[in-house]
Coordinates of all heavy atoms in Angstrom, one line a residue:
M1 N 18.1 -20.2 -29.8 CA 18.5 -19.9 -28.4 C 18.1 -18.4 -28.0 O 17.5 -18.2 -27.0 CB 20.0 -20.1 -28.2 CG 20.4 -19.8 -26.8 SD 19.8 -21.1 -25.7 CE 20.8 -20.9 -24.3
K2 N 18.3 -17.5 -29.0 CA 17.9 -16.1 -28.7 C 16.4 -16.0 -28.5 O 15.9 -15.2 -27.7 CB 18.4 -15.2 -29.8 CG 19.9 -15.0 -29.9 CD 20.3 -14.1 -31.0 CE 21.8 -14.0 -31.1 NZ 22.2 -13.1 -32.1
T3 N 15.6 -16.7 -29.3 CA 14.2 -16.7 -29.2 C 13.7 -17.1 -27.8 O 12.8 -16.5 -27.2 CB 13.5 -17.5 -30.3 OG1 14.0 -17.1 -31.6 CG2 12.0 -17.4 -30.2
K4 N 14.3 -18.2 -27.3 CA 14.0 -18.7 -26.0 C 14.3 -17.7 -24.9 O 13.5 -17.5 -24.0 CB 14.7 -20.1 -25.8 CG 14.3 -20.7 -24.5 CD 15.0 -22.1 -24.3 CE 14.5 -22.7 -23.1 NZ 15.2 -24.0 -22.9
T5 N 15.4 -17.1 -25.0 CA 15.8 -16.1 -24.0 C 14.9 -14.9 -24.1 O 14.4 -14.4 -23.0 CB 17.3 -15.6 -24.3 OG1 18.1 -16.7 -24.2 CG2 17.7 -14.6 -23.2
L6 N 14.5 -14.5 -25.3 CA 13.6 -13.3 -25.4 C 12.2 -13.7 -24.9 O 11.6 -12.9 -24.1 CB 13.5 -13.0 -26.9 CG 12.5 -11.8 -27.2 CD1 13.0 -10.5 -26.5 CD2 12.4 -11.6 -28.7
L7 N 11.7 -14.9 -25.1 CA 10.4 -15.3 -24.6 C 10.5 -15.3 -23.0 O 9.5 -14.9 -22.4 CB 10.0 -16.6 -25.2 CG 9.6 -16.6 -26.6 CD1 9.4 -18.1 -27.1 CD2 8.4 -15.8 -26.9
T8 N 11.6 -15.8 -22.5 CA 11.7 -15.9 -21.0 C 11.7 -14.5 -20.4 O 11.0 -14.2 -19.5 CB 13.0 -16.6 -20.6 OG1 13.0 -17.9 -21.2 CG2 13.2 -16.7 -19.1
L9 N 12.4 -13.5 -21.1 CA 12.4 -12.2 -20.6 C 11.1 -11.5 -20.7 O 10.6 -10.8 -19.8 CB 13.5 -11.3 -21.4 CG 14.9 -11.7 -21.1 CD1 15.8 -10.9 -22.0 CD2 15.3 -11.3 -19.6
L10 N 10.4 -11.8 -21.8 CA 9.0 -11.2 -21.9 C 8.1 -11.8 -20.9 O 7.2 -11.0 -20.3 CB 8.5 -11.5 -23.3 CG 9.1 -10.7 -24.5 CD1 8.6 -11.2 -25.8 CD2 8.8 -9.2 -24.3
A11 N 8.2 -13.1 -20.6 CA 7.3 -13.7 -19.6 C 7.6 -13.1 -18.2 O 6.7 -12.8 -17.4 CB 7.5 -15.2 -19.6
L12 N 8.9 -12.9 -17.9 CA 9.3 -12.3 -16.6 C 8.8 -10.9 -16.5 O 8.3 -10.4 -15.5 CB 10.8 -12.3 -16.4 CG 11.4 -13.7 -16.1 CD1 12.9 -13.6 -16.1 CD2 10.9 -14.3 -14.8
G13 N 8.9 -10.1 -17.6 CA 8.4 -8.7 -17.6 C 6.9 -8.7 -17.4 O 6.4 -7.8 -16.6
A14 N 6.2 -9.6 -18.0 CA 4.7 -9.6 -17.8 C 4.3 -10.0 -16.4 O 3.4 -9.4 -15.8 CB 4.1 -10.6 -18.8
A15 N 5.0 -10.9 -15.8 CA 4.8 -11.3 -14.4 C 5.1 -10.1 -13.5 O 4.3 -9.9 -12.6 CB 5.6 -12.5 -14.1
F16 N 6.1 -9.4 -13.7 CA 6.5 -8.3 -12.9 C 5.4 -7.2 -13.0 O 5.0 -6.5 -12.1 CB 7.9 -7.7 -13.2 CG 8.3 -6.6 -12.4 CD1 8.7 -6.8 -11.1 CD2 8.2 -5.3 -12.9 CE1 9.1 -5.7 -10.3 CE2 8.6 -4.2 -12.1 CZ 9.0 -4.4 -10.8
A17 N 5.0 -6.9 -14.2 CA 4.0 -5.8 -14.5 C 2.7 -6.2 -13.8 O 2.0 -5.3 -13.4 CB 3.8 -5.6 -16.0
A18 N 2.4 -7.4 -13.7 CA 1.1 -7.8 -13.1 C 1.1 -7.8 -11.6 O 0.1 -7.9 -10.9 CB 0.7 -9.2 -13.6
H19 N 2.4 -7.8 -11.0 CA 2.5 -7.8 -9.6 C 1.9 -6.6 -9.0 O 2.1 -5.5 -9.5 CB 4.0 -7.9 -9.2 CG 4.3 -7.8 -7.8 ND1 3.9 -8.8 -6.9 CD2 4.8 -6.8 -7.0 CE1 4.2 -8.5 -5.7 NE2 4.8 -7.3 -5.7
A20 N 1.1 -6.8 -7.9 CA 0.4 -5.7 -7.3 C 1.4 -4.8 -6.5 O 2.3 -5.3 -5.8 CB -0.6 -6.2 -6.3
E21 N 1.3 -3.5 -6.7 CA 2.1 -2.5 -6.0 C 1.6 -2.3 -4.6 O 0.4 -2.2 -4.4 CB 2.1 -1.2 -6.8 CG 2.8 -0.1 -6.2 CD 2.7 1.2 -7.0 OE1 1.6 1.5 -7.4 OE2 3.8 1.8 -7.2
T22 N 2.5 -2.1 -3.6 CA 2.0 -1.8 -2.3 C 2.8 -0.5 -1.8 O 4.0 -0.4 -2.0 CB 2.3 -2.9 -1.3 OG1 1.6 -4.1 -1.7 CG2 1.8 -2.6 0.1
K23 N 2.1 0.4 -1.1 CA 2.7 1.6 -0.6 C 2.5 1.5 1.0 O 1.5 1.1 1.5 CB 2.0 2.8 -1.1 CG 2.1 3.1 -2.6 CD 3.4 3.5 -3.0 CE 3.4 3.8 -4.5 NZ 4.5 4.6 -4.9
K24 N 3.6 1.9 1.7 CA 3.6 1.9 3.1 C 3.8 3.3 3.5 O 4.8 3.9 3.2 CB 4.7 1.0 3.7 CG 4.7 0.8 5.1 CD 5.7 -0.3 5.5 CE 5.9 -0.5 6.9 NZ 6.9 -1.4 7.3
L25 N 2.8 3.9 4.3 CA 2.9 5.3 4.7 C 3.0 5.4 6.2 O 2.4 4.6 6.9 CB 1.6 6.0 4.2 CG 1.3 6.0 2.7 CD1 0.4 4.9 2.4 CD2 0.6 7.3 2.3
T26 N 3.8 6.4 6.6 CA 3.8 6.8 8.0 C 2.9 8.0 8.2 O 3.1 9.0 7.5 CB 5.3 7.1 8.4 OG1 6.1 6.0 8.1 CG2 5.4 7.4 9.9
V27 N 2.0 7.9 9.1 CA 0.9 8.9 9.3 C 0.8 9.3 10.7 O 0.6 8.5 11.6 CB -0.4 8.3 8.8 CG1 -1.5 9.4 8.9 CG2 -0.4 7.9 7.3
N28 N 1.0 10.6 11.0 CA 0.8 11.1 12.3 C -0.7 11.6 12.5 O -1.3 12.1 11.5 CB 1.7 12.3 12.5 CG 3.2 11.9 12.8 OD1 3.4 10.7 13.2 ND2 4.1 12.7 12.5
G29 N -1.1 11.6 13.7 CA -2.4 12.1 14.1 C -3.5 11.1 14.3 O -4.6 11.4 14.7
M30 N -3.2 9.8 14.0 CA -4.2 8.8 14.2 C -4.2 8.3 15.6 O -3.1 8.0 16.1 CB -3.9 7.5 13.3 CG -3.8 7.8 11.8 SD -3.5 6.3 10.8 CE -1.9 5.7 11.5
V31 N -5.3 8.4 16.3 CA -5.3 8.1 17.7 C -6.4 7.1 18.2 O -6.3 6.6 19.3 CB -5.5 9.4 18.6 CG1 -4.3 10.3 18.4 CG2 -6.7 10.1 18.2
C32 N -7.3 6.8 17.3 CA -8.4 5.9 17.7 C -8.8 5.0 16.5 O -8.5 5.2 15.4 CB -9.6 6.7 18.2 SG -10.4 7.7 17.0
A33 N -9.7 4.0 16.9 CA -10.2 3.1 15.9 C -11.0 3.9 14.8 O -11.1 3.5 13.6 CB -11.1 2.0 16.5
F34 N -11.7 5.0 15.2 CA -12.4 5.8 14.3 C -11.5 6.4 13.2 O -11.9 6.5 12.0 CB -13.2 6.9 15.0 CG -14.1 7.7 14.1 CD1 -15.2 7.2 13.5 CD2 -13.8 9.0 13.8 CE1 -16.0 7.9 12.7 CE2 -14.5 9.8 13.0 CZ -15.7 9.2 12.4
C35 N -10.3 6.8 13.6 CA -9.3 7.4 12.7 C -9.0 6.3 11.7 O -8.9 6.6 10.5 CB -8.1 7.8 13.5 SG -8.3 9.1 14.7
A36 N -8.6 5.1 12.2 CA -8.2 4.0 11.3 C -9.3 3.7 10.3 O -9.1 3.5 9.1 CB -7.8 2.8 12.1
Q37 N -10.6 3.6 10.8 CA -11.7 3.3 10.0 C -11.9 4.3 8.9 O -12.2 4.0 7.8 CB -13.0 3.1 10.8 CG -14.2 2.7 10.1 CD -15.4 2.6 11.0 OE1 -15.5 3.2 12.1 NE2 -16.4 1.8 10.5
G38 N -11.8 5.6 9.2 CA -12.0 6.6 8.3 C -11.0 6.6 7.1 O -11.3 6.7 6.0
I39 N -9.7 6.4 7.5 CA -8.6 6.3 6.5 C -8.8 5.1 5.6 O -8.7 5.1 4.4 CB -7.2 6.2 7.2 CG1 -6.9 7.6 7.8 CG2 -6.2 5.8 6.2 CD1 -5.7 7.7 8.6
E40 N -9.2 3.9 6.3 CA -9.4 2.7 5.5 C -10.5 2.9 4.5 O -10.4 2.4 3.4 CB -9.7 1.5 6.5 CG -9.7 0.2 5.8 CD -9.9 -1.0 6.7 OE1 -9.7 -0.8 7.9 OE2 -10.1 -2.1 6.2
K41 N -11.6 3.5 4.9 CA -12.8 3.7 4.1 C -12.4 4.6 2.9 O -12.8 4.3 1.7 CB -13.9 4.3 4.9 CG -15.2 4.5 4.1 CD -16.3 5.0 5.0 CE -17.6 5.1 4.2 NZ -18.7 5.5 5.1
R42 N -11.7 5.7 3.1 CA -11.3 6.6 2.0 C -10.4 6.0 1.0 O -10.6 6.1 -0.2 CB -10.6 7.9 2.6 CG -11.5 8.9 3.3 CD -10.7 10.1 3.7 NE -10.5 11.0 2.5 CZ -11.1 12.1 2.4 NH1 -11.9 12.5 3.4 NH2 -11.0 12.9 1.4
L43 N -9.4 5.2 1.5 CA -8.5 4.6 0.6 C -9.1 3.4 -0.1 O -8.7 3.1 -1.3 CB -7.2 4.2 1.3 CG -6.4 5.4 1.9 CD1 -5.2 4.9 2.7 CD2 -6.0 6.4 0.9
S44 N -9.9 2.7 0.5 CA -10.6 1.5 -0.1 C -11.5 2.0 -1.2 O -11.8 1.2 -2.1 CB -11.4 0.7 0.9 OG -10.5 0.1 1.9
A45 N -12.0 3.2 -1.2 CA -12.9 3.7 -2.2 C -12.2 4.1 -3.5 O -12.8 4.2 -4.5 CB -13.6 4.9 -1.7
L46 N -10.9 4.2 -3.5 CA -10.1 4.5 -4.7 C -10.2 3.3 -5.6 O -10.1 2.1 -5.2 CB -8.7 4.8 -4.4 CG -8.4 6.0 -3.5 CD1 -6.9 6.1 -3.1 CD2 -8.8 7.3 -4.2
P47 N -10.4 3.5 -6.9 CA -10.7 2.4 -7.9 C -9.5 1.4 -8.0 O -9.7 0.3 -8.4 CB -11.0 3.1 -9.2 CG -10.5 4.5 -9.0 CD -10.5 4.8 -7.6
Q48 N -8.3 1.9 -7.7 CA -7.1 1.0 -7.9 C -6.7 0.3 -6.7 O -5.8 -0.5 -6.7 CB -5.9 1.9 -8.4 CG -5.4 2.9 -7.5 CD -6.1 4.3 -7.6 OE1 -7.2 4.3 -8.0 NE2 -5.4 5.3 -7.4
T49 N -7.4 0.5 -5.5 CA -7.1 -0.1 -4.3 C -7.7 -1.5 -4.1 O -8.9 -1.7 -4.3 CB -7.6 0.7 -3.1 OG1 -6.9 2.0 -3.2 CG2 -7.2 0.1 -1.8
Q50 N -6.8 -2.5 -3.7 CA -7.2 -3.8 -3.5 C -7.4 -4.1 -2.0 O -8.4 -4.7 -1.5 CB -6.2 -4.8 -4.0 CG -6.6 -6.3 -3.7 CD -5.6 -7.2 -4.3 OE1 -5.2 -7.1 -5.4 NE2 -5.2 -8.3 -3.5
A51 N -6.4 -3.6 -1.2 CA -6.5 -3.8 0.3 C -5.8 -2.7 1.0 O -4.9 -2.0 0.5 CB -5.8 -5.1 0.6
V52 N -6.3 -2.4 2.3 CA -5.8 -1.4 3.1 C -5.6 -1.9 4.5 O -6.5 -2.7 5.0 CB -6.7 -0.1 3.2 CG1 -6.2 0.9 4.1 CG2 -7.0 0.4 1.8
Y53 N -4.5 -1.6 5.2 CA -4.3 -1.9 6.6 C -3.8 -0.7 7.3 O -2.9 0.0 6.8 CB -3.2 -3.1 6.6 CG -2.7 -3.3 8.0 CD1 -3.6 -3.9 9.0 CD2 -1.4 -3.0 8.4 CE1 -3.1 -4.1 10.3 CE2 -0.9 -3.3 9.6 CZ -1.8 -3.8 10.6 OH -1.3 -4.1 11.9
V54 N -4.4 -0.5 8.5 CA -4.0 0.6 9.3 C -3.6 0.1 10.7 O -4.3 -0.6 11.3 CB -5.1 1.7 9.5 CG1 -4.7 2.8 10.4 CG2 -5.6 2.2 8.1
N55 N -2.3 0.5 11.1 CA -1.9 0.1 12.5 C -1.6 1.4 13.2 O -0.7 2.2 13.0 CB -0.6 -0.7 12.4 CG -0.1 -1.1 13.7 OD1 0.2 -0.3 14.6 ND2 0.1 -2.4 13.8
L56 N -2.5 1.7 14.2 CA -2.5 3.0 15.0 C -1.2 3.1 15.8 O -0.5 4.1 15.8 CB -3.7 3.1 15.9 CG -5.0 3.2 15.2 CD1 -6.1 3.1 16.3 CD2 -5.1 4.5 14.5
G57 N -0.8 2.0 16.5 CA 0.3 2.0 17.3 C 1.6 2.3 16.6 O 2.5 3.0 17.2
R58 N 1.8 1.8 15.4 CA 3.0 2.0 14.7 C 2.9 3.2 13.6 O 3.8 3.4 12.9 CB 3.4 0.8 14.0 CG 3.7 -0.4 15.0 CD 4.7 -1.3 14.4 NE 4.8 -2.4 15.4 CZ 5.8 -2.5 16.3 NH1 6.6 -1.5 16.4 NH2 5.9 -3.5 17.1
K59 N 1.7 3.8 13.6 CA 1.5 4.9 12.7 C 1.7 4.5 11.2 O 2.2 5.3 10.4 CB 2.4 6.1 13.0 CG 2.2 6.7 14.4 CD 3.1 7.8 14.7 CE 2.9 8.3 16.1 NZ 3.8 9.5 16.3
V60 N 1.2 3.3 10.9 CA 1.4 2.8 9.5 C 0.1 2.6 8.8 O -0.9 2.1 9.4 CB 2.2 1.4 9.6 CG1 2.1 0.7 8.3 CG2 3.6 1.6 10.1
V61 N 0.1 3.0 7.6 CA -1.0 2.7 6.7 C -0.4 2.0 5.4 O 0.5 2.5 4.8 CB -1.7 4.0 6.2 CG1 -2.8 3.7 5.2 CG2 -2.3 4.8 7.4
A62 N -0.9 0.8 5.1 CA -0.4 0.1 4.0 C -1.6 0.0 3.0 O -2.7 -0.3 3.3 CB 0.1 -1.3 4.4
V63 N -1.2 0.2 1.7 CA -2.2 0.2 0.6 C -1.7 -0.7 -0.5 O -0.6 -0.4 -1.0 CB -2.6 1.6 0.1 CG1 -3.7 1.5 -0.9 CG2 -2.9 2.6 1.2
Q64 N -2.5 -1.6 -0.9 CA -2.1 -2.5 -2.0 C -3.0 -2.2 -3.2 O -4.2 -2.2 -3.1 CB -2.2 -4.0 -1.6 CG -1.7 -5.0 -2.6 CD -1.8 -6.4 -2.1 OE1 -1.6 -6.6 -0.9 NE2 -2.0 -7.3 -2.9
A65 N -2.3 -2.1 -4.4 CA -3.1 -1.9 -5.6 C -3.6 -3.2 -6.2 O -3.1 -4.3 -5.9 CB -2.2 -1.2 -6.6
K66 N -4.6 -3.1 -7.0 CA -5.1 -4.2 -7.7 C -4.0 -4.6 -8.7 O -3.3 -3.8 -9.2 CB -6.4 -3.9 -8.4 CG -7.6 -3.6 -7.5 CD -8.8 -3.2 -8.2 CE -10.0 -3.0 -7.2 NZ -11.1 -2.4 -7.9
D67 N -4.0 -5.9 -9.1 CA -3.0 -6.4 -10.0 C -3.0 -5.5 -11.3 O -4.1 -5.2 -11.9 CB -3.3 -7.8 -10.4 CG -2.9 -8.8 -9.3 OD1 -2.1 -8.4 -8.4 OD2 -3.3 -9.9 -9.3
G68 N -1.8 -5.1 -11.7 CA -1.7 -4.4 -13.0 C -1.9 -2.9 -12.8 O -1.7 -2.1 -13.8
L69 N -2.3 -2.4 -11.6 CA -2.6 -1.0 -11.4 C -1.5 -0.4 -10.5 O -0.8 -1.1 -9.8 CB -4.0 -0.8 -10.8 CG -5.1 -1.2 -11.7 CD1 -6.5 -1.0 -11.0 CD2 -5.1 -0.5 -13.0
Q70 N -1.4 0.9 -10.5 CA -0.5 1.6 -9.7 C -1.2 2.6 -8.7 O -2.2 3.1 -9.0 CB 0.5 2.4 -10.5 CG 1.5 1.5 -11.3 CD 2.5 2.3 -12.1 OE1 2.3 3.4 -12.4 NE2 3.6 1.6 -12.3
L71 N -0.5 2.8 -7.6 CA -1.0 3.8 -6.6 C -0.2 5.1 -6.8 O 1.0 5.1 -6.9 CB -0.8 3.3 -5.2 CG -1.6 2.0 -4.9 CD1 -1.1 1.4 -3.6 CD2 -3.1 2.3 -4.8
D72 N -0.9 6.2 -6.8 CA -0.2 7.5 -7.0 C 0.0 8.1 -5.6 O -0.9 8.3 -4.8 CB -1.1 8.4 -7.8 CG -0.5 9.8 -8.1 OD1 0.1 10.4 -7.2 OD2 -0.6 10.2 -9.2
D73 N 1.3 8.3 -5.2 CA 1.6 8.9 -3.9 C 0.9 10.1 -3.6 O 0.4 10.3 -2.5 CB 3.1 9.2 -3.8 CG 4.0 8.0 -3.9 OD1 3.5 6.8 -4.0 OD2 5.3 8.1 -3.8
A74 N 0.7 11.0 -4.6 CA 0.1 12.3 -4.3 C -1.4 12.1 -4.0 O -2.0 12.8 -3.1 CB 0.2 13.2 -5.6
V75 N -2.1 11.1 -4.7 CA -3.5 10.8 -4.4 C -3.6 10.3 -3.0 O -4.5 10.7 -2.2 CB -4.1 9.9 -5.4 CG1 -5.4 9.4 -5.0 CG2 -4.1 10.5 -6.8
L76 N -2.7 9.3 -2.6 CA -2.8 8.8 -1.3 C -2.6 9.8 -0.2 O -3.3 9.9 0.8 CB -1.7 7.7 -1.1 CG -1.9 6.4 -2.0 CD1 -0.7 5.5 -1.8 CD2 -3.2 5.7 -1.7
K77 N -1.6 10.7 -0.4 CA -1.3 11.8 0.5 C -2.5 12.7 0.6 O -2.9 13.1 1.7 CB -0.1 12.6 0.1 CG 1.2 11.9 0.4 CD 2.3 12.9 -0.1 CE 3.7 12.3 0.2 NZ 4.8 13.2 -0.3
H78 N -3.1 13.0 -0.5 CA -4.3 13.9 -0.5 C -5.4 13.4 0.3 O -6.0 14.1 1.1 CB -4.7 14.2 -2.0 CG -6.0 15.0 -2.1 ND1 -6.0 16.3 -1.9 CD2 -7.2 14.6 -2.4 CE1 -7.3 16.8 -2.0 NE2 -8.0 15.7 -2.3
E79 N -5.7 12.1 0.0 CA -6.9 11.5 0.7 C -6.6 11.5 2.3 O -7.6 11.7 3.0 CB -7.1 10.0 0.2 CG -7.6 10.0 -1.2 CD -9.0 10.6 -1.3 OE1 -9.9 10.5 -0.4 OE2 -9.3 11.2 -2.3
I80 N -5.4 11.2 2.7 CA -5.1 11.1 4.1 C -5.1 12.5 4.7 O -5.6 12.7 5.8 CB -3.8 10.4 4.4 CG1 -4.0 8.9 4.0 CG2 -3.4 10.5 5.8 CD1 -2.8 8.0 4.0
T81 N -4.5 13.5 4.0 CA -4.5 14.9 4.6 C -5.9 15.5 4.6 O -6.2 16.2 5.5 CB -3.5 15.8 3.9 OG1 -3.8 15.8 2.5 CG2 -2.1 15.3 4.1
E82 N -6.7 15.2 3.6 CA -8.1 15.7 3.6 C -8.9 15.1 4.8 O -9.8 15.7 5.2 CB -8.8 15.3 2.3 CG -8.3 16.2 1.1 CD -8.8 17.7 1.3 OE1 -10.0 17.9 1.6 OE2 -7.9 18.6 1.2
A83 N -8.5 13.9 5.2 CA -9.2 13.3 6.4 C -8.7 13.9 7.7 O -9.2 13.6 8.8 CB -9.0 11.8 6.4
G84 N -7.6 14.7 7.6 CA -7.1 15.4 8.8 C -5.9 14.9 9.4 O -5.5 15.2 10.6
Y85 N -5.1 14.1 8.7 CA -3.9 13.5 9.2 C -2.7 14.0 8.4 O -2.8 14.5 7.3 CB -4.0 12.0 9.2 CG -5.3 11.5 9.9 CD1 -6.4 11.2 9.1 CD2 -5.4 11.5 11.2 CE1 -7.6 10.8 9.7 CE2 -6.6 11.2 11.9 CZ -7.7 10.8 11.1 OH -8.9 10.5 11.7
D86 N -1.5 13.7 9.0 CA -0.2 14.2 8.4 C 0.6 13.0 7.9 O 1.0 12.2 8.7 CB 0.6 15.0 9.4 CG 1.8 15.6 8.9 OD1 1.9 16.0 7.7 OD2 2.8 15.7 9.7
V87 N 0.8 13.0 6.6 CA 1.7 11.9 6.0 C 3.1 12.4 6.1 O 3.5 13.4 5.5 CB 1.3 11.7 4.5 CG1 2.2 10.6 3.9 CG2 -0.2 11.3 4.4
V88 N 3.9 11.6 6.8 CA 5.3 11.9 7.1 C 6.2 11.2 6.0 O 7.2 11.8 5.6 CB 5.7 11.4 8.5 CG1 7.2 11.6 8.7 CG2 4.9 12.1 9.5
K89 N 5.8 10.0 5.6 CA 6.6 9.2 4.7 C 5.8 8.3 3.8 O 4.8 7.8 4.3 CB 7.6 8.4 5.5 CG 8.6 7.6 4.7 CD 9.5 6.8 5.7 CE 10.5 5.9 5.0 NZ 11.3 5.1 6.0
V90 N 6.2 8.2 2.5 CA 5.6 7.2 1.6 C 6.7 6.4 1.0 O 7.6 6.9 0.5 CB 4.7 7.9 0.5 CG1 4.1 6.9 -0.4 CG2 3.7 8.8 1.1
E91 N 6.5 5.1 1.0 CA 7.5 4.2 0.4 C 6.9 3.1 -0.3 O 5.8 2.5 0.2 CB 8.6 3.7 1.4 CG 8.0 2.9 2.5 CD 9.0 2.4 3.6 OE1 10.1 1.9 3.2 OE2 8.7 2.6 4.8
A92 N 7.4 2.7 -1.4 CA 7.0 1.5 -2.1 C 7.7 0.3 -1.5 O 8.9 0.3 -1.2 CB 7.3 1.6 -3.6
V93 N 6.9 -0.8 -1.2 CA 7.5 -2.0 -0.6 C 7.1 -3.2 -1.4 O 6.1 -3.2 -2.2 CB 7.0 -2.1 0.8 CG1 7.5 -1.0 1.7 CG2 5.5 -2.2 0.9
A94 N 7.9 -4.3 -1.3 CA 7.6 -5.5 -2.0 C 6.6 -6.4 -1.4 O 6.2 -7.4 -1.9 CB 9.0 -6.2 -2.2
Q95 N 6.2 -6.1 -0.1 CA 5.3 -6.9 0.6 C 3.8 -6.6 0.2 O 3.5 -5.6 -0.3 CB 5.4 -6.6 2.1 CG 6.8 -6.9 2.7 CD 6.9 -6.3 4.0 OE1 7.0 -5.0 4.1 NE2 6.9 -7.1 5.1
T96 N 3.0 -7.6 0.5 CA 1.5 -7.4 0.3 C 1.0 -6.8 1.6 O 1.7 -6.8 2.7 CB 0.8 -8.7 0.1 OG1 1.0 -9.6 1.2 CG2 1.3 -9.4 -1.2
V97 N -0.2 -6.3 1.6 CA -0.9 -5.8 2.8 C -1.0 -6.9 3.9 O -0.7 -6.7 5.1 CB -2.2 -5.2 2.5 CG1 -3.1 -5.0 3.8 CG2 -2.1 -3.9 1.8
D98 N -1.3 -8.1 3.5 CA -1.4 -9.3 4.4 C 0.0 -9.5 5.1 O 0.0 -9.8 6.3 CB -1.9 -10.5 3.7 CG -3.4 -10.5 3.4 OD1 -4.1 -9.7 4.0 OD2 -3.8 -11.2 2.4
A99 N 1.1 -9.4 4.3 CA 2.4 -9.7 4.9 C 2.7 -8.6 5.9 O 3.3 -8.8 6.9 CB 3.4 -9.7 3.8
I100 N 2.4 -7.3 5.6 CA 2.7 -6.2 6.5 C 1.8 -6.4 7.7 O 2.3 -6.2 8.9 CB 2.4 -4.9 5.8 CG1 3.4 -4.6 4.7 CG2 2.4 -3.7 6.8 CD1 3.0 -3.5 3.7
R101 N 0.6 -6.8 7.6 CA -0.3 -7.0 8.8 C 0.3 -8.1 9.7 O 0.4 -7.9 10.9 CB -1.7 -7.4 8.3 CG -2.6 -7.7 9.4 CD -4.0 -8.2 9.0 NE -4.7 -7.1 8.3 CZ -5.1 -7.1 7.0 NH1 -4.8 -8.1 6.2 NH2 -5.7 -6.1 6.5
A102 N 0.8 -9.2 9.1 CA 1.4 -10.3 9.8 C 2.7 -9.8 10.5 O 2.9 -10.2 11.7 CB 1.6 -11.5 8.9
E103 N 3.5 -9.1 9.8 CA 4.7 -8.6 10.4 C 4.4 -7.7 11.6 O 5.1 -7.8 12.6 CB 5.5 -7.8 9.3 CG 6.7 -7.1 9.8 CD 7.4 -6.3 8.7 OE1 7.5 -6.8 7.6 OE2 7.7 -5.1 9.0
M104 N 3.4 -6.8 11.5 CA 3.1 -5.9 12.6 C 2.5 -6.7 13.8 O 2.8 -6.3 14.9 CB 2.1 -4.8 12.1 CG 2.5 -3.9 11.1 SD 3.7 -2.7 11.7 CE 4.3 -2.0 10.2
K105 N 1.8 -7.7 13.5 CA 1.2 -8.5 14.6 C 2.3 -9.2 15.3 O 2.2 -9.3 16.6 CB 0.2 -9.5 14.0 CG -0.5 -10.3 15.0 CD -1.6 -11.2 14.4 CE -2.3 -12.0 15.4 NZ -3.3 -12.9 14.8
N106 N 3.3 -9.7 14.6 CA 4.4 -10.4 15.2 C 5.4 -9.5 16.0 O 6.1 -10.0 16.8 CB 5.2 -11.2 14.2 CG 4.4 -12.3 13.6 OD1 3.6 -12.9 14.3 ND2 4.7 -12.7 12.4
K107 N 5.3 -8.2 15.8 CA 6.2 -7.2 16.5 C 5.7 -6.7 17.8 O 6.3 -5.9 18.4 CB 6.5 -6.0 15.6 CG 7.5 -6.3 14.4 CD 7.8 -5.1 13.7 CE 8.8 -5.3 12.6 NZ 9.2 -4.1 11.9
K108 N 4.5 -7.2 18.2 CA 3.9 -6.7 19.4 C 4.8 -6.9 20.6 O 5.5 -7.1 21.2 CB 2.6 -7.4 19.7 CG 1.5 -6.9 18.9 CD 0.2 -7.6 19.2 CE -1.0 -7.1 18.4 NZ -2.2 -7.7 18.7

């Protein structure tokens, strides 16, 4: 019985570790599609990035890591501030970029 429980815990741990991490940032200073495109291009170029979504109206930038990789808050902040914008908040969320995009679309 103990072996079965241990194997279940190990399998759950491996599944959790492989889950892609997503960061949701609040960014001030974005005013146009060119702003969004610049941020998306910079963050997409990071080797650990799988997907990026920028919502100008809500001042949201969502970044999803590739499976098994992590996103460094300091690196994300650096890339965005170097592009000329102000990062107000960074939070880890359980949603994917696609889920955040759908949520933002439904909030119109």
